Each structure stands twice: as C-alpha cells, then as structure tokens.
C-alpha cells in the first residue's frame, strides 16, 4: 500500500531543472560558455515573496474560495473512545527505513586532511580591510577612579579627590584631552564631517591633526611581553598602519584624569549589587554613590551610528580576504566576489592568530556564526544552482572539500590542488578547462563555484538516504483540543487560519502549487487522525486511544495535496471547532503526538515538519508524561541547572528518532501555567525546529502575534534532512557547535529541518600553526532537501587572514559576533554548571581578553587607565547585558519556562538578533520626523536618557514597548491614543488605535517596519510612566542597575577594570 500521493518525480540529475530556467548550465561536457557574461545565469529562481520578507498580513483573508459544507458531520465527536470507523488494526508497516548512520557516509566520509600546506596565495589578495580600520584613534583611555575599598589597586582617596577636581565636567572620548579635546572625537560627539569614510590603504590620516599640542606621535611601543614585536611582520599587511597601535595622543593627559565626572565617593561593588554575590561583600550601607559620567564611557549608539555613516553607503564587496564586514546594525548591500556574504557567515575575528599559544594568550574565542539559508536583501543574488552532472559535485579526493574559488588548478588545468588539505586531484574530463596566462581557468567567471563565495550544487542520488531521491516533504498540523485550547478560542482560530494559510506553503520559482503534502491530527488524552482523501465527501476521523504504543491508523488519505483535497480539508477545519466545543477534557499527552507525526512521515517515506499547538503540561498517562517540578527556590543554588535540563531522557531519544527521519518539530505553546519548556522543547531544539510561546493567550491581545508567527513559520524557506559540515584549511579545526541540532559524531551537524532564521555557531581551535601568507579558509557545506524534494548542497566559503601580532587580532575583531558566541557558550553552560560559575567564567574570560590587549598592544600607561581595543570597546557593556539577561540573572517576574524558552531562542539567534536582544533599541518617537521614512536616532538604554515629556519605543526582537512620559503634551497623546489625557490611556494596552494623523501614522509605520525586520512578531506593550508595568520596561534599560541585582554599565566597567588590573599586576 503506497501512501505517497504524488509519485516522486525527481528529474534525472544532470538535466537542467525547469525551475531554474535562469541559470545557464555550465556545460559539464567541458565546453566553456563563450561569451556568457556572469550576469547571464540569473538567480536559480526569483526571490520568493513568501520568504524574502515576513509575510504581510494581507492576502490571508478568510477562505472565500472554500465551498461551504452543508452535509452532516460524519465525524465522531466522542473524543474519549474509539470511533466506529476505527481502523486501528491497520497498523502502519514497520518502516525500518530509519536510516543507518552510514547513510551520511557518502556525504562526508573524511575528516580533515593531515598534510600541511597552504592556500594558493593568488586566490587570496592580502589587502587590509578598509572596513576594519577604525580611523579614530583606537584605544579608549579611561582612567578609572577607585574607592578606598579597593585598597590593593586603587589610588589613595586623596588622589581620587584630585582627579575629580581635575576632570570635573569633562567629556572624555578616545582621544579627548583635558585642555583642547579635538572636536567631535569624543564618544558622545558626532564624527567630523571632513572624514566621510574609512581611510584608503596606506593612508596615514586617521589621527587628529598634528598641530594639536598634545597629540604626540610616537612609534608603537616596544612590548615587554612575549607577544608581538613591532616591525617587519606588519609589512605583510597591505594597508594603513594600525591606527590603534601607536600611543594615542591625549592619553598622557588623561593619566591624571578620570574618565568622566566623579560625583561622589564610589560604592563598594558588593554593596552596590546586593544580588550579585560574586562582586564581593561588604556589609553595611554604602557611602553615597559617586559615579563616572556615563557620557564619557563607550556608547553603543555612537559605535552603531559611526559604522552606519562609514559603511552604509557602499556595497560590501567580498573579494578581499579577512575583510571585516560592517556591523549588523548597518544596512548595507553585499556583492559576492568570492567569499560568503556576512549574512551567511560572521566571525569573531577576521584575523586569526598563527599559533595556538597566541590564541590562548588572547583568550579571544575563534568562532563563526553561520546562517546557511539566510534571507538576502531583494537586490542581492540568491546562490546559483550548479549541476556537475552524473558524477556529482567536483570534490577533493582526500578531504572531500567542494570545488571553490580557492582551489588551484595546475598542470594546464588537468589537476587541482586542494586549498584545504593540499591533496592534488584529477579534474574529471567533463570538468576540464584551459587556464589563462595567470593560471586561472578561462571559464572562471562562468562558474559560480570558481568565482563566488556561495552557491549550490545539485546533489546526486549518492547524497540521498538509502540511495533514493527523496519525496517532497510533508507538513502535519497537530492541534491540542483540550478544554483550555477550545475555551480560549485557539482551536477555532487555528482552523480558520489554516483554511487560507495552506495556500501559502513553500514553493519555488514558478511552481503553481507547493509540492508539500499536509495532514491533520487533533489530540487531548487520545489522538484523532483524519482521512482527508480527495475522493471522500466528508473527512473521516480515526481515534487512537492506545497512546502507549503510537501508530498511524491510516496511510492512504492522511497526507494529501492541498489542492486535490481542498473541499475535504475545508470541511474538516470547519468541523474541528464544533466537534470539541463542549469538551471537558483538560489533560493532554505530548510525546505520543510527536511519535504519531514521526510514524506518519516514516510511513510516507518523507521528511517533514510537525506544527504542534499545545497548551499544558502533559500529565495524562502516556509515554513522556511529565510532572510539575518547577521550583524557584532552586535559583542561585547548585541545583539551578536542573531547571534547564529535561526531566526525563525520553525526549532526547525521541528527538534522535525524529532527526533520523527528517521530522522537524515546531512548537506553539499557549500555557496558563508551568508546562516545562525545558523538557517539551527538547525535540524541537534537537530537530532544528522553532518554539513560540504565548503565555496566558488571549484572542484579543495575542492573536495577531500568533497568526503572524504562524504564517511566517509555515511559509519560510526551510531545508529538510539537513547535514552540515564545516571544513577548514590545515591548522585549525571546528571543535564545538552551538545551535538547534543533533550531532551523532563530532563533525556533522544534523538537523531534521533548517530554516532561514536558524544559526549555528561554530568554534575553531588550532591543531597546527597557520601562516600569514596562506591565511585560513572555511567551507561550510549544507546538504539538504528543498521544499520541492530536491537534494542540494549549499556551499559557503570564507577566507580569513592570519597574524603573528596580537594587535592584528584585536583590530579585526567583531564584538557583536563575540557576544553571540559568549552568550551561547554561557547559555549552554547553565545546563551543567551553577549559574554563578558560568557568570564568573564569562567575566574572567573577557577580563583576560582585555588584559592581554592592554599588556601587549596598548601603549604603556598608568595602571589607573582602562584601555580598550577600538573594536572591543563595547565588550564590557554588552557582556554586562548578557550577565544580566534572564537566563543568567532572572528578573523578578521571569518564570522558569521563560528562562528555558529564552535559552533555546538565543542558541539559534544570529548576530543581529543577539545584538538587539541583549542591548535593545530605544527610539524617541516624539523626535521622529513624520515626513521622512527614517527612524529617529536611537538613544542609550538608561532611564536618565528618558524625558517625561516624550514617548519612546524599545524593541529587543521579542517585545516592543511604547513608554509614555507623564508630561507628554496632550496633543500628542490625543494623536497617538485617541484620548485627551495621560490618565485616560488604559493600563496594559497592547495595540495602538488607527488614527488618521501624521504622528499616529508615523509611529505605526515604525512599528510595522520593526516587525518586518524581525523573525518573530514582537509583542506590543504600552507602558505609562509610573504605572506598575513600568518595572517590566525598566528591566530592559540595560545600562542601569537592575532590580534583580544586575550591575549598571558604569559600575560594571569599573568592575571589569579591577579584574583587568588584577590580571596585569
Ligand atoms: Zn582536500
């Protein structure tokens, strides 16, 4: 009995694919395509409106096209017993098709090559990255005032007093000097208009004018350390001299100063953060606080603004090795010229230390944040699909790396030398091409795999499970129909939405309809399967009450084509809410639901995704039954980690089975109380799925958010049955992986599903020396099944520089990516270590990173100065945000489920998402220009930046707060809320009224724009100043001290300085 509705119609590989009409096949007979310009092979399919952007809500209007069903319901509504048409004996054939581990062997049988050799230098131009060259003087020189309680390190109180007098009222920037600070160079000041862009290579301009009396140029200081020596090695970098390296003029002046105003005696840290035991303890009331001027310490807003001004106008061209891309907060266009776009891969550093000793000394983690299916901007070109014919993609014989721009052709083009392992491989006859006088193949520009950083290969049957081309995937919708789900209106909402949403299943190119089949299950303590075969007049229900040993009671008619079964499906979706309208069943099962979906996919021999809509802790008698084990008393104890661990290993085993089948599980949770996200999320997490959580779901306030999330989740680009392997050139090796996936060995990252929002962070370690000449290479290969059922390989290549000078490492770092890695590292750490240990380790590592810079790269200066590398000057503020986040230091209102949920979310976030999640964006709405499309300039996340007369918006990727000051003009309140005074704005408002005036339109358009930018629809919360909800809002003002004990930015910076000094002494 076959359950495959459409027979698999995978075209013979090797033939041009109809769906990729734009792409000129690169003639695997070996003939070049004379005169074919690069542009001629267009995108293999057009940008898909469905997933280029979050789906606009329009277009999903109620199912006008569905015929209404007047015939009587043939479904049995008795939910607790077997339906008359139960066909339980019709057990699905045992599909031991669960693939063996060896199935993946053809994909990546080899580990790293062990021959040392380099990368062809010709392929790796060594130009200094202009984007990475801060042209402002690099090191922030920040003498930190100390209190008498820091007896060991701090200057005597008298000198503090002196300092405060000396520096009172002064803004100190990176080069601000006491007497005559160069205009515009402070952190808080705008860039000088005369320096619109980064310096050109060789340009020595990025220093203030020499006429400034206190700007003394000196050569890089000889370092007393074992680290870098100034001199010849630098000459290999074809770029401007390192601006951060020479002692910055003005620093000398600051040695006597503090950074910023000293407002009074500084409190002891312990006293300042009662909730942070690791900062020391000092009983008794703190002395009145004196503090540093927040304006004088590095500002995230300024760094973001500066990068936008410097990098936003020009496209980022990826032809240069080791080039640091613009920040994630900068809107820029990418042009692929041989390296993967930063939308696909970002690194903590684009210049890797040559030796493991250097790397250890710096403590800078070497990691890449990879988003293999990232959505590009509409103007950017999707990866081309390349077909190398029946023998499959051309690969290195030894390490199996895929053909890429860094492979070097030799012997007239008959062989190529691998850029990863140096092994020489014969060029297959059909792939042969002559070389030009520079040694480049003459078809270089005709072949994406020779000239681009990212592209796809059509995989042959060798890359498929059981040597069989896959069937198109299936989506199974599994709806909790217990009492809570029905009463909240959720069941009706889901069914209503699915009627129209099913027309928007993922498809490619010009496909008229999606190849994805769909199936439906409802459940409470038992499961109800539905036969929606097109030939039926009415859907049929089959109930399985034996949840202990789950099976699928029907094969034919369960997974169907939407168009063919349209009438039956519509009828079913109409009937489900009615059938369960009077249910009294409150208990649910959970694991059997996943098992049912898994069995259905197994029977259909396809991969797919389960969309599970679930409301409560599964306490009904069944496998995977859970108990309520929430215990807030465990917080801050050694047992806190158990709150993040699953309460049973049952789900880990289930996850493994799901991954084997390519069954990805997306979970939509609607809890009214604890439902153990840490356990329920295990399968989702390990199968590459997504969790969405809507606590205390209410139709009026939450339905928009849920529906938008659901629409995007159903429509977004997703690859199934995916395996990712990261290869590296000799000398470094991928050693650790973070993200939502499963690993059955140490190298292959397996994901039942991988969507365009999911990110995998990969850490690298040295296993040998690297060379500055050859640099280092990464190749990420993702094997997956597309939504059409086509097996493909997506390849991303990235070349990095290597350095023998620590200063080069620090100059080419990216703090946002570093924070992404550190957060994921810490969030994984809480599973096995006490949270305090994790926090201390984070602080210690960052202190070591900064101390190493200070010791080896910064000019000699007094110990009272805090000197930060230019590229890392935000490390302290961002690190503090990670430390204060709810996972590592929960806020008062945060539940155990929230923490587990956030922990899982962050683990799959890309760099842009972690950036705004940890340091939210705060926009003064009342400063918005209603006549322009632009956003108002963001401000720093601190209460003291807020004015009572203004309205602000804060977003972090999950929530949008609109904060209204008590003194906001009545006119503005009228325009935005449609009421005449502040007091009339209702508490807990979650929408803005649609009003026809410029201010209302502007604010709503800003919110819409932000919603479009994020992968999840954010919850809107209106907060009135001095209302009790304001506490929630203030939790996100991350530069301030938090109620749960998190340090303020200023205090944390002082603490970091203390740590650094301790390391240096
Ligand atoms: Zn190789």
């Amino acid at each position: 009995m076959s359950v495959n509705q459409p027979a698999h119609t995978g075209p013979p590989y090797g033939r041009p694919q109809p769906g990729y009409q734009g792409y000129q096949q690169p003639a695997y007979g070996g003939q070049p395509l004379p005169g074919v310009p690069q542009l001629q092979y267009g995108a293999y399919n057009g940008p898909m409106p469905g997933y280029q952007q979050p789906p606009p809500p329009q277009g999903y209007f109620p199912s006008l096209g569905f015929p209404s069903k007047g015939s009587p319901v043939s479904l049995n509504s008795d939910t607790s017993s077997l339906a008359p048409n139960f066909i339980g004996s019709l057990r699905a054939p045992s599909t031991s098709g669960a693939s063996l581990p060896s199935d993946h062997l053809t994909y990546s049988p080899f580990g790293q090559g062990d021959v040392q050799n380099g990368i062809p230098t010709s392929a790796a131009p060594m130009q200094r990255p202009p984007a990475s060259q801060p042209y402002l003087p690099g090191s922030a020189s920040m003498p930190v005032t100390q209190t008498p309680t820091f007896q060991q390190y701090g200057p005597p109180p008298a000198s503090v007093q002196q300092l405060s007098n000396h520096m009172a009222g002064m803004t100190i920037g990176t080069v601000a000097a006491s007497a005559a600070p160069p205009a515009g160079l402070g952190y808080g000041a705008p860039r000088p208009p005369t320096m619109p862009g980064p310096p050109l290579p060789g340009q020595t301009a990025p220093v203030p004018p020499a006429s400034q009396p206190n700007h003394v140029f000196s050569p890089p200081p000889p370092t007393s350390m074992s680290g870098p020596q100034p001199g010849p090695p630098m000459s290999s970098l074809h770029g401007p001299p390192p601006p951060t390296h020479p002692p910055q003029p003005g620093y000398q002046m600051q040695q006597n100063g503090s950074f910023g105003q000293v407002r009074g005696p500084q409190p002891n840290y312990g006293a300042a953060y009662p909730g942070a035991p690791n900062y020391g303890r000092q009983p008794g009331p703190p002395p009145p606080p004196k503090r540093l001027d927040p304006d004088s310490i590095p500002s995230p807003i300024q760094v973001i603004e500066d990068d936008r001004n410097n990098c936003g106008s020009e496209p980022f061209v990826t032809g240069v090795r080791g080039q640091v891309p613009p920040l994630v907060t900068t809107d820029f266009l990418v042009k692929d010229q041989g390296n993967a776009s930063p939308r696909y891969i970002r690194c903590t550093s684009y210049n890797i230390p040559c030796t493991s000793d250097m790397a250890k000394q710096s403590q800078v983690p070497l990691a890449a944040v990879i988003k293999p299916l990232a959505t590009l901007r509409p103007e950017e070109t999707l990866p081309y699909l390349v077909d190398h014919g029946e023998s499959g993609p051309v690969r290195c014989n030894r390490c199996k790396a895929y053909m890429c721009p860094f492979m070097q052709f030799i012997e007239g083009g008959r062989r190529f030398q691998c850029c990863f392992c140096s092994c020489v491989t014969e060029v297959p006859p059909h792939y042969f091409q002559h070389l030009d006088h520079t040694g480049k193949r003459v078809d270089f520009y005709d072949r994406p795999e020779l000239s681009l950083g990212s592209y796809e290969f059509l995989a042959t049957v060798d890359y498929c499970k059981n040597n069989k081309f896959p069937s198109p995937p299936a989506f199974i919708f599994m709806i909790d129909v217990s009492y809570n789900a029905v009463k909240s209106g959720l069941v009706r909402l889901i069914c209503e939405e699915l009627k129209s949403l099913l027309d928007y299943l993922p498809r490619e190119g010009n496909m008229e309809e999606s190849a994805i089949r769909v199936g439906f299950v409802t459940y409470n303590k038992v499961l109800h399967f539905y036969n929606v075969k097109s030939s039926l007049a009415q859907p049929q229900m089959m109930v399985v009450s034996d949840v202990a040993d789950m099976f699928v009671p029907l094969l034919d008619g369960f997974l169907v084509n939407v168009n063919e079964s349209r009438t039956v499906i519509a009828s079913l979706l109409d009937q489900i809410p009615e059938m369960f309208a009077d249910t009294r069943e409150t208990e649910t099962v959970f694991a059997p639901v996943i098992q049912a979906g898994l069995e259905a996919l197994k029977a259909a021999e396809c991969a797919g995704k389960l969309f599970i809509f679930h409301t409560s802790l599964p306490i009904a008698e069944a496998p995977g039954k859970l108990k309520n084990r929430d215990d807030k008393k465990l917080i801050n104890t050694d047992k806190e980690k158990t709150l993040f661990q699953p309460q049973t290993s049952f789900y880990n085993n289930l996850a493994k089975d799901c991954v084997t089948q390519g069954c990805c599980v997306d979970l939509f949770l609607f809890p009214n109380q604890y439902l153990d996200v840490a356990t329920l999320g295990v399968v989702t997490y390990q199968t590459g799925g997504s969790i969405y959580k809507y606590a205390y779901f209410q139709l009026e306030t939450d339905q928009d958010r849920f529906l938008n999330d659901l629409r995007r989740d159903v429509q977004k680009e997703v690859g199934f049955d995916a395996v990712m392997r990261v290869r590296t050139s000799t000398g470094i090796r991928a050693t650790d992986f973070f993200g939502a996936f499963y690993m059955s060995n140490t190298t292959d990252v397996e994901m039942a599903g991988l969507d365009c929002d999911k990110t995998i962070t990969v850490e690298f370690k040295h296993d040998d020396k690297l060379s500055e000449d050859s640099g280092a290479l990464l190749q990420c290969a993702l094997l997956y099944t597309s939504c059409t059922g086509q097996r493909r390989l997506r390849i991303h290549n990235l070349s990095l520089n290597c350095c023998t000078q620590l200063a080069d490492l620090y100059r080419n770092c990216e703090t946002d990516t570093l924070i992404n890695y550190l957060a994921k590292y810490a969030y994984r750490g809480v599973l096995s270590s006490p949270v305090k240990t994790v926090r201390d380790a984070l602080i210690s590592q960052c202190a070591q990173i900064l101390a190493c810079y200070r010791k080896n790269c910064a000019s000699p200066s007094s110990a009272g100065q805090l000197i930060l590398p230019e590229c890392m000057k935000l490390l302290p503020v961002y690190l503090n945000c990670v430390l204060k986040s709810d996972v590592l230091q929960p806020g008062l209102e945060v539940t155990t489920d929230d923490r587990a949920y956030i922990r899982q979310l962050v683990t799959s976030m890309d760099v842009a998402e972690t950036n705004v999640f940890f340091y939210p964006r705060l926009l003064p709405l009342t400063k918005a220009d209603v006549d322009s499309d632009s956003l108002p300039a963001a401000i720093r996340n601190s209460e003291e930046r807020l004015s009572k007369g203004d309205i602000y918006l804060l977003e972090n990727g999950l929530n949008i707060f609109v904060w209204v000051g008590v003194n906001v003009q009545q006119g503005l309140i009228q325009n935005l809320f449609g009421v005449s005074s502040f007091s009339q704005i209702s508490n807990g408002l979650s929408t803005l009224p649609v009003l026809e005036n410029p201010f209302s339109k502007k604010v709503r358009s800003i919110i819409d724009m932000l919603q479009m930018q994020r992968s999840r629809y954010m919850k809107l919360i209106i907060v009135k100043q001095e209302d009790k909800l304001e506490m929630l809002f203030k939790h996100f003002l991350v530069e301030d001290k938090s109620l749960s004990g998190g340090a303020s930015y200023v205090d944390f910076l002082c603490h970091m300085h203390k740590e650094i000094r301790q390391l240096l002494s």
Side-chain angles (χ1 to χ4, degrees):
M1 179 178 205
S2 166
V3 291
N4 286 332
Q5 292 288 323
H8 173 63
T9 53
Y13 44 84
R15 295 218 192 120
Q17 298 298 303
Y20 315 103
Q21 71 291 349
Y23 178 59
Q24 182 82 45
Q25 291 296 323
Y28 50 84
Q31 294 311 306
L33 300 166
V36 177
Q38 197 179 354
L39 284 178
Q40 193 151 341
Y41 45 80
Y44 65 82
N45 59 52
M48 283 185 55
Y51 60 80
Q52 277 299 329
Q53 288 175 332
Q58 56 271 32
Y60 305 99
F61 291 110
S63 51
L64 298 172
F66 295 113
S68 63
K69 298 301 294 183
S71 41
V73 177
S74 73
L75 293 163
N76 191 311
S77 61
D78 179 355
T79 60
S80 58
S81 63
L82 294 185
N85 52 356
F86 171 64
I87 50 166
S89 57
L90 215 174
R91 184 153 191 152
S94 162
T95 52
S96 55
S99 70
L100 303 166
S102 61
D103 288 347
H104 292 311
L105 286 181
T106 50
Y107 166 53
S108 48
F110 291 93
Q112 290 298 314
D114 54 358
V115 173
Q116 264 201 63
N117 206 324
I119 300 138
T121 47
S122 64
M126 295 190 55
Q127 196 186 331
R128 294 291 305 152
S132 68
Q133 296 301 323
Y135 60 84
L136 277 186
S139 311
S141 171
M142 302 193 297
V144 174
T145 51
Q146 299 292 339
T147 69
T149 48
F150 294 148
Q151 306 252 331
Q152 272 171 285
Y153 314 108
S159 100
V160 171
Q161 198 48 53
Q162 239 178 2
L163 297 185
S164 65
N165 293 339
H166 200 75
M167 300 299 290
M170 205 179 113
T171 300
I172 300 203
T174 40
V175 294
S178 63
L185 290 176
Y187 283 113
R191 295 251 159 170
T194 50
M195 300 178 70
L200 299 169
Q203 188 176 329
T204 53
V207 284
S211 59
Q212 297 276 358
N214 53 344
H215 292 159
V216 184
F217 286 89
S218 6
T223 53
S224 55
M225 309 313 307
S226 56
Q229 295 301 320
M234 297 300 287
S235 62
S236 67
L237 302 166
H238 305 177
T244 54
H245 205 51
Q248 287 310 314
Y251 286 170
Q252 288 81 354
M253 298 303 293
Q254 288 184 40
Q255 285 178 8
N256 299 326
S258 68
F259 62 109
Q261 223 167 335
V262 176
R263 294 176 184 167
Q266 188 163 330
N268 172 274
Y269 286 117
Y273 334 118
N278 52 321
Y279 287 152
R281 292 156 199 85
Q282 168 139 339
K290 101 183 147 193
R291 25 176 325 204
L292 304 163
D293 180 359
D295 281 335
S296 68
I297 57 181
S299 156
I301 303 303
Q302 192 61 48
V303 170
I304 289 169
E305 255 332 284
D306 289 348
D307 192 72
R308 252 181 217 152
N309 295 335
N310 294 337
C311 308
S313 51
E314 293 286 315
F316 178 72
V317 178
T318 70
V320 178
R321 186 174 84 185
Q323 198 178 6
V324 184
L327 297 180
V328 285
T329 40
T330 297
D331 192 18
F332 61 100
L333 201 67
V334 182
K335 212 167 171 322
D336 185 342
Q337 287 195 356
N339 283 291
S341 161
R343 295 190 218 292
Y344 294 125
I345 307 182
R346 278 185 177 265
C347 294
T348 51
S349 178
Y350 291 79
N351 207 324
I352 300 181
C354 277
T355 66
S356 141
D357 284 350
M358 247 176 101
K360 279 191 195 124
Q361 193 186 356
S362 76
Q363 285 288 313
V364 175
L366 303 174
V369 179
I370 307 178
K371 199 175 184 184
L373 299 178
T375 305
L376 302 181
R377 272 176 46 163
E379 309 93 305
E380 296 169 352
T381 313
L382 287 171
Y384 298 104
L385 185 68
V386 178
D387 183 357
H388 278 178
E390 292 183 19
S391 50
V394 176
R395 306 172 70 172
C396 166
N397 268 349
R398 182 196 285 142
C399 75
K400 300 289 169 189
Y402 295 85
M403 182 50 66
C404 74
F406 307 108
M407 298 288 187
Q408 192 162 32
F409 288 87
I410 54 176
E411 295 175 26
R414 286 187 301 279
R415 306 170 86 192
F416 68 92
Q417 184 169 35
C418 178
C419 50
F420 295 93
C421 74
S422 300
C423 173
V424 172
T425 301
E426 296 281 332
V427 173
H430 68 78
Y431 196 66
F432 174 80
Q433 187 50 267
H434 294 286
L435 309 182
D436 69 11
H437 66 285
T438 66
K440 211 185 236 182
R441 279 171 63 121
V442 299
D443 60 353
F444 181 84
Y445 291 108
D446 301 329
R447 290 189 178 271
E449 76 275 21
L450 298 182
S451 50
L452 298 177
S454 301
Y455 42 87
E456 294 202 323
F457 286 116
L458 196 59
T460 61
V461 76
D462 292 340
Y463 294 82
C464 302
K465 266 184 192 165
N466 306 322
N467 279 339
K468 247 175 88 183
F469 278 112
S471 308
F475 282 180
I476 304 177
F477 297 91
M478 316 183 88
I479 307 167
D480 176 346
V481 289
S482 65
Y483 180 83
N484 282 340
V486 173
K487 277 294 168 277
S488 64
L490 184 63
V491 173
R492 188 172 295 280
L493 182 70
I494 294 168
C495 291
E496 207 48 51
E497 177 64 22
L498 285 181
K499 283 196 260 180
S500 46
L501 186 56
L502 293 178
D503 284 333
Y504 294 87
L505 300 179
R507 66 187 107 179
E508 280 190 339
N510 303 341
M511 288 173 67
E512 295 226 329
E513 60 177 35
S514 173
I516 291 172
R517 289 166 296 159
V518 297
F520 304 89
V521 170
T522 55
Y523 67 95
N524 38 48
K525 270 164 79 173
V526 299
L527 276 77
H528 326 104
F529 293 79
Y530 298 94
N531 184 343
V532 283
K533 200 173 171 176
S534 58
S535 55
L536 294 175
Q538 281 293 314
Q540 294 171 343
M541 175 201 260
M542 272 143 267
V543 179
V544 175
S545 51
D546 178 11
V547 291
D549 189 13
M550 190 42 62
F551 61 94
V552 180
L554 77 166
L555 296 178
D556 191 25
F558 180 66
L559 293 178
V560 298
N561 171 291
V562 173
N563 271 342
E564 286 167 14
S565 290
R566 180 172 296 275
T567 344
V568 195
I569 292 173
S571 169
L572 172 67
L573 294 172
D574 279 338
Q575 292 173 44
I576 287 175
E578 308 305 328
M579 277 189 291
F580 301 99
D582 300 320
T583 186
R584 283 154 188 262
E585 185 54 70
T586 55
E587 293 189 358
T588 57
V589 296
F590 184 70
V593 180
I594 297 176
Q595 287 171 325
L598 171 63
E599 292 302 322
L601 295 178
K602 270 189 195 170
E605 296 182 333
C606 68
K609 200 189 244 197
L610 312 182
F611 297 82
I612 303 182
F613 305 91
H614 190 78
T615 59
S616 59
L617 191 70
I619 52 169
E621 201 52 56
K625 170 185 172 178
L626 300 179
K627 58 181 192 294
N628 188 335
R629 44 111 188 207
D630 186 18
D631 187 357
K632 277 204 158 191
K633 289 197 295 297
L634 298 183
I635 294 175
N636 288 326
T637 71
D638 282 356
K639 286 189 175 155
E640 185 170 2
K641 59 180 182 244
T642 60
L643 297 176
F644 297 109
Q645 297 165 346
Q647 60 172 286
T648 153
S649 62
F650 181 88
Y651 289 93
N652 295 76
N653 297 330
L654 181 55
K656 195 173 159 190
D657 292 344
C658 286
V659 172
T660 305
Q661 181 58 38
C663 171
C664 176
V665 178
D666 279 1
L667 197 49
F668 293 80
L669 297 172
F670 307 87
N672 287 335
Q673 55 197 334
Y674 178 74
L675 52 54
D676 203 341
V677 172
T679 306
L680 295 190
V682 165
V683 179
T684 296
Y685 186 63
Q686 294 194 24
T687 58
S690 305
I691 302 187
Y692 301 84
K693 186 158 87 62
Y694 312 88
Y696 307 103
F697 179 83
Q698 285 187 306
L699 272 190
E700 312 77 66
T701 50
D702 299 313
Q703 78 167 28
D704 276 356
R705 187 161 60 103
F706 162 58
L707 291 180
N708 277 288
D709 284 342
L710 176 62
R711 287 164 189 163
R712 189 168 198 278
D713 196 65
V714 165
Q715 293 181 81
K716 68 184 169 187
E717 184 182 9
V718 55
F720 292 95
D721 226 342
V723 186
M724 189 184 98
R725 165 75 74 94
V726 179
R727 290 182 174 78
T728 46
S729 53
T730 311
I732 51 165
R733 200 162 41 91
T735 52
D736 210 349
F737 302 86
F738 304 82
F741 52 71
Y742 176 80
M743 288 185 83
S744 56
N745 58 41
T746 55
T747 50
D748 293 326
V749 175
E750 298 176 49
M751 292 152 291
L754 172 69
D755 65 52
C756 55
D757 297 323
K758 294 288 185 308
T759 307
I760 298 112
T761 294
V762 183
E763 187 180 8
F764 301 96
K765 291 254 159 65
H766 286 76
D767 56 8
D768 209 334
K769 272 177 122 167
L770 298 166
S771 102
E772 284 181 298
D773 284 348
S774 27
L777 286 180
L778 315 177
Q779 182 178 76
C780 163
L782 176 81
L783 174 65
Y784 72 99
T785 301
S786 75
C787 66
T788 57
Q790 195 174 50
R791 202 73 175 145
R792 295 180 190 161
L793 282 147
R794 180 168 288 202
I795 313 293
H796 297 298
N797 302 288
L798 187 65
S799 60
L800 302 170
N801 285 327
C802 296
C803 59
T804 54
Q805 305 273 317
L806 281 166
D808 290 331
L809 166 68
Y810 284 97
R811 213 169 19 242
N812 291 281
C813 276
E814 204 190 41
T815 297
D816 293 332
T817 308
L818 202 56
I819 288 294
N820 181 283
Y821 166 84
L822 290 172
K824 290 176 182 178
Y825 183 79
Y827 281 19
R828 185 173 69 187
V830 300
L831 286 173
S832 51
S833 307
V835 172
K836 180 184 180 307
T837 310
V838 172
R839 293 162 43 84
D840 290 349
L842 268 189
I843 295 174
S844 160
Q845 183 173 7
C846 289
Q848 287 182 58
I849 291 172
L850 297 174
C852 175
Y853 174 81
R854 171 64 186 262
K855 198 165 164 185
N856 299 292
C857 309
S859 56
S861 50
S862 83
Q865 285 181 295
L866 172 59
I867 301 182
L868 300 170
E870 175 68 15
C871 291
M872 288 188 188
K873 65 186 179 190
L874 298 181
L875 187 60
V877 59
Y878 286 163
L879 174 68
N880 190 34
C881 296
V882 174
L883 294 169
K884 292 161 76 163
S885 64
D886 286 327
V887 171
L888 298 184
Q889 192 160 28
L892 302 175
E893 307 277 308
V894 174
T895 65
T896 301
D897 274 344
D898 287 334
R899 296 178 78 197
Y901 176 62
I902 291 168
R903 198 188 75 78
Q904 293 208 7
L905 283 187
V906 168
T907 307
S908 292
M909 279 185 182
D910 69 12
V911 180
E913 286 173 319
T914 46
N915 176 271
V916 78
F917 179 75
F918 289 112
Y919 192 93
R921 182 150 58 159
L922 182 57
L923 304 172
L925 293 176
T926 25
K927 303 272 191 299
D929 176 1
V930 294
D931 297 321
S932 99
D933 288 341
S934 63
L935 290 174
I939 60 169
R940 293 171 64 171
N941 284 327
S942 172
E943 192 175 359
E944 65 187 43
R945 311 274 166 182
L946 304 178
S947 141
K948 289 181 172 187
D950 285 315
I951 302 173
Y952 298 85
L953 179 151
L954 181 145
E955 65 126 352
N956 73 342
L958 295 182
N959 301 302
I960 292 181
F961 291 93
V962 172
W963 181 91
V964 190
V966 284
N967 293 344
V968 174
Q969 285 173 26
Q970 287 193 1
L972 286 173
I973 287 180
Q974 181 72 48
N975 281 343
L976 193 56
F977 299 100
V979 296
S980 55
S981 70
F982 179 82
S983 60
Q984 285 179 300
I985 304 172
S986 23
N987 291 323
L989 206 59
S990 62
T991 50
L992 289 174
V994 178
L995 301 174
E996 287 302 310
N997 64 73
F999 184 59
S1000 171
K1001 281 184 188 165
K1002 179 66 187 177
V1003 170
R1004 285 181 289 114
S1005 83
I1006 289 174
I1007 291 173
D1008 288 347
M1009 195 174 103
L1010 298 177
Q1011 295 283 23
M1012 295 281 278
Q1013 285 176 5
R1014 304 292 170 209
S1015 61
R1016 285 161 187 260
Y1017 200 81
M1018 293 178 279
K1019 181 175 187 171
L1020 180 63
I1021 304 164
I1022 314 286
V1023 175
K1024 292 164 71 178
Q1025 187 178 10
E1026 291 166 13
D1027 184 63
K1028 63 178 189 296
L1029 262 182
E1030 199 188 15
M1031 299 298 273
L1032 190 59
F1033 170 74
K1034 285 184 178 173
H1035 186 60
F1036 296 92
L1037 296 175
V1038 289
E1039 288 199 24
D1040 297 343
K1041 196 166 124 178
S1042 71
L1043 278 176
S1044 48
S1048 71
Y1049 176 19
V1050 168
D1051 289 343
F1052 183 70
L1053 194 61
C1054 293
H1055 179 72
M1056 280 303 282
H1057 189 213
K1058 185 189 126 200
E1059 295 275 323
I1060 293 165
R1061 288 172 58 162
Q1062 218 155 3
L1063 290 168
L1064 292 173
S1065 62

